[in-house]
Amino acid sequence: MRFGRTSKALGVAAVAALALSACAANTGTETPEESAEGEATGGNIRVVEVNAFSSFNSNSSEGNVDINGKIAYATHSGFVYINNDLEVEKNEDFGTMEVLSEDPLSVKYTVNEGVNWSDGEPVDGGDLLLSWAIGSGYFNDATTDDAGEIVSGATYFDYAGDTGGLALTELPEIGDDGRSITLNYSEPFADYEVAFGLMTEGGISTPAHVLAEKGGLADEDALIELIETESKGDPESPVERPEVQALADFWNTGFDTKSLPTDESLFLSNGPFIASAITPDQSMTLTRNEDYSWGPEAKVDEITVRYIGEAPAQVQALQNGEVDIIAPQASADTVEQLEGLEGVTVEQGNQLSYDHLDLNFSGVFEDEAVREAFMKTVPRQQIVDTIVKKINPDAQPLDSQLFLTDQAPYEESSSNNGSEAYGEVDIEGAKELLDGATPEVRIMYNRDNPNRLNSYTLIAESAAQAGFKIVDGGLGSSDWGAALGNGTYDATIFGWINSGVGVSGVPQIFKSGNGSNFNGFSSPEADELMDELIVTTDPDEQDALQVQIDKFIWDSKYGLPLFQVPGVDAYSDNVTGIEYMPNQTGVWWNFWDWQVVQ
């Protein structure tokens, strides 16, 4: 499981509306043809997203934003995907995942013959080996200080997920067929089913032959030889690896873009759709991959993605017939507006997502007392009352960093982790900790998201009462994700959303030095527990470990979770096949079932 960042929350505050200009592709739903079975086929479905697209690499730390992941999901394939019952489904049309041994754990992955990239090159063992090298952190030999800064060695591929699971495997060999690798684990790994080639994370999404060329190697064979011959990273004896560094440098940023590259190799597909047009910060068009036949096949020819941040603007676009599917910020007002529309279906449910305020462990917040003082000023109840209460009268501030309110261990963890100290705003307590100081705090958030603006405004007003000088560090919807962890702010408001399976998302965010650990949190005790967590297969033992980790995070004055995010989807009667999904893929989870109807 890997967490994905999301700027979708639930909001009622309004900011300047984004332009509702026409998309680069169709502005109306096309009438489909009828198949022999009477099902609608072909046509164009128009779906709205809150965030603007920013990268064809959703697995990098900067590219790990919800919209990028959804586009990767629609344009790539893998060995498994997750259905809306949060069950792992095998995609054996793409390839097979065969457990050769359970003790010790050994898993063979084989891509079927005929599975190709959109340039005609096969998806093969080289692609699998590269994916493994990235996801395992095989070459990493960095040592960090207490602030999380690298003092020796290097972290090469800036992978957003946790590398601890695949790091339990030895260097795999490509099979004689050229299309397989076998992963041999030194210990049991709780998330092995979703650790490699999970479609939710873009499946096998980086073509080895392209990265080889962009990284200065002769071809894919040279890349394979490099991975197989370079020594494993050792923080005790770091060495320079210029060829690996060149590959990593391109992987980290070379696929980032807000427009469609002229170089088609930068957005190759091995999935149902291919990107065909982008209007920066406005829209994107996906066109059917005519060669694709190795997984669920889409029923429509084209998907147009509009980026609209504000819920009222999304509702208006749906009402006007400009779009077919929306997933706006959930609020009572939005739901009421949607339920008043004719010819529209509305679906609601909790999301596996939460909004939170994170404080950097450096700069103004290096001092734990200053972090604690700031946390005492955060009006979490007011934020919940303003943003969430209307749609969920039972909503309360979220009191766990690891569990959501509808998960069984939540009550135990929240009653023991120290969160009760921040149940109410304590301005006087904050002033006492500051002792006359007036620290300046820059808060970064997605300024195009009404909820984040609302949360920022309430936090800024309250913190100012204790003497904090707040600087508005808000960024645009396609820029905030890339700014995470870059040192230009002191605190940030954003959201995490996960796949709903596995436990590897915990070290992804909270383990020292990991790619999604943006604020520099480091706890040797918590690190040890997280190492134990990923090799623990018993669910009750996993919960017990996470309860302990949760307390270490709260004790560190990490920041504050704000609320669990409720979700709402709505779609026109012009389309069918949409089913509610609480995880990071949202309505996209079964996009292959979407159909246009007459």
Side-chain angles (χ1 to χ4, degrees), residues 64-200:
N64 179 30
V65 181
D66 54 357
I67 176 61
N68 299 338
K70 291 170 182 176
I71 298 303
Y73 183 62
T75 57
H76 296 92
S77 292
F79 294 98
V80 294
Y81 66 93
I82 299 168
N83 66 25
N84 63 341
D85 290 323
L86 302 180
E87 299 168 333
V88 178
E89 297 272 5
K90 292 183 179 179
N91 178 20
E92 294 190 346
D93 290 330
F94 175 86
T96 56
M97 178 178 63
E98 180 184 4
V99 178
L100 303 179
S101 168
E102 293 186 353
D103 186 16
L105 180 63
S106 178
V107 187
K108 182 179 181 180
Y109 296 86
T110 305
V111 180
N112 294 339
E113 290 188 38
V115 177
N116 296 323
W117 296 101
S118 50
D119 63 355
E121 290 294 315
V123 179
D124 57 19
D127 300 307
L128 301 184
L129 184 64
L130 172 62
S131 184
W132 170 84
I134 294 169
S136 67
Y138 181 71
F139 296 113
N140 294 344
D141 54 15
T143 298
T144 58
D145 58 21
D146 291 340
E149 297 295 324
I150 295 176
V151 294
S152 65
T155 296
Y156 291 92
F157 296 95
D158 188 20
Y159 178 56
D162 176 53
T163 60
L166 289 180
L168 296 170
T169 61
E170 60 192 33
L171 175 67
E173 292 184 2
I174 296 176
D176 293 338
D177 54 14
R179 294 179 286 104
S180 67
I181 63 171
T182 298
L183 302 186
N184 297 311
Y185 289 85
S186 60
E187 297 184 62
F189 177 41
D191 294 352
Y192 81 88
E193 278 194 306
V194 293
F196 192 68
L198 176 63
M199 288 170 61
T200 307

